[in-house]
Amino acid sequence: MPDRTNEISIQDRLFPDMTCFGCGPANPRGLRLKSYARDEAVTAQFEPWPEHDNGLGFLNGGIISTVLDCHSAAAVLHEADQRGWGQLPGAQLPYVTAGLDVRYLRPAPLREPVELRAVLRSADEAEMTVGVELRWDGKVRASADTLWKRWRPRTP
């Protein structure tokens, strides 16, 4: 992965006060995922903690789902920002997860960094879809298709 020490992540740029467990920069106990736009994809590196053990010495499936979801969020929110689709009045974000279909393909390491790659598949103002992968050692370990819907606050 390229050196990104001087680059601002999508999360830090677009939602620095977010406390989401997976990607919120303002959650000191969260995973604090950092994602970066690259050509046709959004990329990130994630280094698991010993506490993310699935009980067999590999990365836990719930943590995998979380980083896939949160990394696809970075792709969606970056695209929304590029298109000027900001949050609507009363919404805290422009889009929210409406679906996450995860496939676990191979064990992912617990003690080494993994790479994340998200590609926007479709985008319109109402919804977006993203394909996202978790890779290690040149192989896809898990993948997901995510569906994101425009957050339209409802009044009770």
Side-chain angles (χ1 to χ4, degrees):
M1 302 280 307
D3 178 22
R4 296 189 169 124
T5 53
N6 294 325
E7 189 175 1
I8 298 173
S9 72
I10 292 169
Q11 293 87 348
D12 288 326
R13 180 171 53 87
L14 297 179
F15 45 100
D17 298 326
M18 181 63 63
T19 57
C20 173
F21 173 72
C23 58
N27 186 340
R29 298 183 68 173
L31 302 178
R32 304 179 90 180
L33 191 61
K34 304 292 183 194
S35 306
Y36 303 89
R38 293 283 176 264
D39 301 320
E40 298 298 315
V42 171
T43 63
Q45 184 172 321
F46 173 69
E47 188 156 353
W49 308 342
E51 295 85 358
H52 299 157
D53 194 324
N54 72 348
L56 302 171
F58 296 99
L59 184 56
N60 173 277
I63 297 296
I64 290 171
S65 290
T66 298
V67 297
L68 291 172
D69 181 28
C70 286
H71 185 61
S72 72
V76 165
L77 296 178
H78 173 72
E79 185 70 18
D81 182 63
Q82 297 296 302
R83 293 182 183 228
W85 296 337
Q87 58 201 56
L88 298 174
Q92 295 176 2
L93 289 171
Y95 292 82
V96 292
T97 310
L100 176 69
D101 181 16
V102 179
R103 287 163 307 284
Y104 301 97
L105 306 170
R106 297 175 177 86
L110 180 63
R111 305 204 191 296
E112 296 185 39
V114 295
E115 296 178 16
L116 299 165
R117 184 173 193 274
V119 176
L120 194 72
R121 292 198 175 134
S122 67
D124 64 38
E125 199 271 336
E127 69 179 43
M128 294 192 214
T129 59
V130 176
V132 60
E133 297 176 337
L134 183 144
R135 296 176 158 267
W136 179 75
D137 195 27
K139 295 179 181 158
V140 177
R141 303 298 167 146
S143 65
D145 295 313
T146 61
L147 172 64
W148 292 80
K149 298 270 188 167
R150 189 76 154 131
W151 186 347
R152 298 182 190 285
R154 310 282 195 275
T155 55

